[in-house]
């Protein structure tokens, strides 16, 4: 996730739409990759994951997680630092976000 633009072309329209959507997610709330695709209105979880892996370092990447509540692979420790700081609801195991309580319902 925290890869910067280095070595990558500028993001296209789809990537910009995904990044704009991620920036809307409030602190302490999350969306799954599929939720972001729905919010953008095109693509799917894999496309969103690809955008996040290439360009996600400039946006709150820790707020986009797998549908089971697990943070982006390889970034668990940093994601959990953000979850603690933002008060994101976690499951009793402390390793996953509580999607039922933390999922953002989107812009009103």
């Amino acid at each position: 996730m925290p890869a910067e633009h280095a070595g990558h072309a500028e993001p296209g329209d789809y990537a910009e739409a995904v990044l704009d959507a991620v920036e809307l997610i409030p602190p302490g709330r999350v969306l799954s990759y599929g939720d972001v695709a729905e919010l953008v209105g095109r693509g799917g979880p894999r496309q969103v994951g690809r955008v996040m892996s290439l360009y996600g370092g400039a946006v709150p990447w820790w707020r986009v997680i797998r549908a089971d509540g697990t943070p982006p692979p390889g970034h668990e420790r940093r994601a959990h630092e953000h979850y603690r700081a933002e008060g994101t609801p976690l499951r009793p195991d402390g390793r996953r976000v509580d999607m039922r309580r933390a999922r953002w319902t989107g812009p009103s």
Side-chain angles (χ1 to χ4, degrees), residues 11 14-15 25 28 62 67 86 90 95 100:
Y14 180 72
I25 306 168
W62 58 92
E86 294 183 355
L90 298 177
R95 289 195 303 269
R100 190 177 53 74

Side-chain angles (χ1 to χ4, degrees), residues 12-69:
D13 290 346
Y14 180 72
E16 290 289 352
V18 167
L19 299 174
D20 289 348
V22 172
E23 287 186 325
L24 296 174
I25 306 168
R29 305 305 290 274
V30 297
L31 288 178
S32 71
Y33 293 96
D35 292 336
V36 173
E38 256 181 58
L39 187 59
V40 169
R42 56 188 204 243
R46 288 181 187 274
Q47 289 83 2
V48 170
R50 176 96 175 123
V51 169
M52 294 302 292
S53 71
L54 292 174
Y55 308 110
V59 298
W61 56 266
W62 58 92
R63 298 180 191 153
V64 182
I65 62 176
R66 299 173 110 168
D68 68 359

